[in-house]
Amino acid sequence: MASAQASRSGCTLQKVGGTSRQLLRCPGGLSIVAEQGARYSLVDRNRDSRVDGVRLQSKALLLDFAPGSGAGFQVTTPQAIAAVRGTRWAVDVGAGKTSVFVERGQVGVQRPAANAGVVLGPGEGVDVDQGTSALTVKRWPRARVSALMARFGQ
């Protein structure tokens, strides 16, 4: 992600000390940790010069909002749309699927062409593929959560 895009949106971009991860801090209480090699772009859907979404093409992002902020924010991937309801959550795009995990708060997840989706709470995740079957919310095992969070140095 270009630092010019971050500064145009009022965000600051910095390296996470001693790693190849990036930390993006934006107005409104948003912070994003990008896994090394993550391909993403910031979105300003209503053109008010504030980030209100991210388009994630590959790898993973860890997103955090200050309580009470983040209404209307969403992460769009090839397989899913994850919309925040004030939270801390991770979105991971892999080969043919998107995985969404919520650490705190709630996140709504649906396929781009779907009218219905699921709402994830703390400790829950969902894997979204290109198919049309119903999304299944699961409580993620500690090992899976730990492996994902380790990618962000958490």
Side-chain angles (χ1 to χ4, degrees):
M1 196 205 74
S3 57
Q5 184 185 20
S7 64
R8 277 194 312 272
S9 61
C11 302
T12 58
L13 181 66
Q14 62 192 64
K15 287 280 197 189
V16 176
T19 73
S20 55
R21 292 184 296 274
Q22 296 177 329
L23 172 62
L24 186 67
R25 292 190 190 276
C26 299
L30 168 65
S31 64
I32 301 171
V33 178
E35 176 185 19
Q36 176 184 351
R39 287 189 1 190
Y40 66 98
S41 57
L42 302 176
V43 178
D44 177 10
R45 292 185 312 268
N46 62 4
R47 301 179 199 265
D48 67 353
S49 299
R50 292 179 63 128
V51 175
D52 54 18
V54 174
R55 209 170 282 114
L56 177 61
Q57 291 84 33
S58 66
K59 299 272 187 158
L61 300 177
L62 178 64
L63 301 99
D64 194 1
F65 276 100
S69 63
F73 189 91
Q74 64 185 28
V75 177
T76 305
T77 75
Q79 297 83 18
I81 299 171
V84 70
R85 287 158 169 73
T87 190
R88 178 176 162 103
W89 86 105
V91 180
D92 182 16
V93 176
K97 78 173 183 179
T98 294
S99 300
V100 180
F101 172 76
V102 175
E103 182 177 86
R104 180 184 72 237
Q106 292 185 321
V107 173
V109 181
Q110 68 182 57
R111 288 187 175 93
N115 292 327
V118 296
V119 176
L120 305 176
E124 295 178 332
V126 66
D127 295 311
V128 184
D129 60 18
Q130 298 281 358
T132 58
S133 62
L135 299 179
T136 303
V137 175
K138 294 182 180 176
R139 180 149 305 278
W140 279 18
R142 181 173 296 179
R144 185 173 182 187
V145 173
S146 295
L148 177 62
M149 292 303 170
R151 293 163 59 187
F152 304 107
Q154 305 287 311

